[in-house]
């Protein structure tokens, strides 16, 4: 039996209390957190359906992330982890605690993306 998927919670901005956060890549335009999530929603992971057919628990992990407030949730790569994008570190931490309480056998962590640590700029 394949192991349970491991939800990974990723916070996508540093705009708490300041409106929607923005990602900015060096020398590039800024992208709002919501815009990134909407763009990701228009894409797909070609391996997800096949992985779910082998390990239906992937759906359970994605649903848990969504229920915990992820703006966007998906399986990563070929199914080693599932991740959720949250707009603030505190939202990611609350979601991690909620999922861990409901699924004590899952490995759950709230973390930050590189862009959110190094390149996020609060809107003017």
């Amino acid at each position: 039996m394949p192991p349970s998927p491991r939800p990974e919670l990723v916070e996508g901005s540093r705009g708490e209390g300041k409106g929607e956060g923005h990602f900015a890549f060096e020398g590039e335009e800024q992208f709002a957190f919501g815009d990134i999530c909407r763009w990701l929603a228009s894409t797909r992971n070609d391996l997800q359906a096949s992985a779910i057919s082998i390990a239906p628990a992937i759906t359970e992990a994605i649903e848990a992330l969504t229920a915990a407030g992820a703006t966007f949730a998906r399986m990563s790569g070929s199914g080693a982890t599932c991740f959720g994008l949250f707009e603030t570190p505190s939202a990611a931490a609350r979601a991690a605690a909620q999922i861990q309480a409901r699924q004590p056998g899952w490995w759950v962590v709230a973390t930050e993306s590189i862009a959110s640590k190094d390149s996020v700029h609060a809107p003017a």
Side-chain angles (χ1 to χ4, degrees):
M1 171 178 256
S4 294
R6 298 177 174 205
E8 176 182 355
L9 305 169
V10 180
E11 173 274 321
S13 79
R14 286 206 186 258
E16 266 185 290
K18 297 181 181 179
E20 187 174 48
H22 290 72
F23 289 91
F25 302 95
E26 194 170 325
E28 302 282 333
E29 64 182 291
Q30 291 187 0
F31 298 93
F33 176 77
D35 290 340
I36 291 171
C37 291
R38 282 185 288 281
W39 176 78
L40 285 169
S42 74
T43 67
R44 69 178 186 270
N45 179 336
D46 290 331
L47 298 174
Q48 187 165 314
S50 296
I52 287 171
S53 72
I54 295 167
I58 293 168
T59 298
E60 185 180 358
I62 293 169
E63 289 172 352
L65 289 159
T66 302
T71 304
F72 179 82
R74 179 175 285 164
M75 180 187 88
S76 175
S78 60
T81 63
C82 293
F83 67 93
L85 299 180
F86 295 83
E87 193 165 359
T88 65
S90 60
R94 283 190 304 272
Q98 176 185 338
I99 293 170
Q100 190 67 65
R102 292 183 179 157
Q103 296 291 346
W106 287 2
W107 179 78
V108 181
V109 63
T111 187
E112 295 182 41
S113 65
I114 293 171
S116 68
K117 284 185 174 183
D118 300 329
S119 302
V120 171
H121 304 281

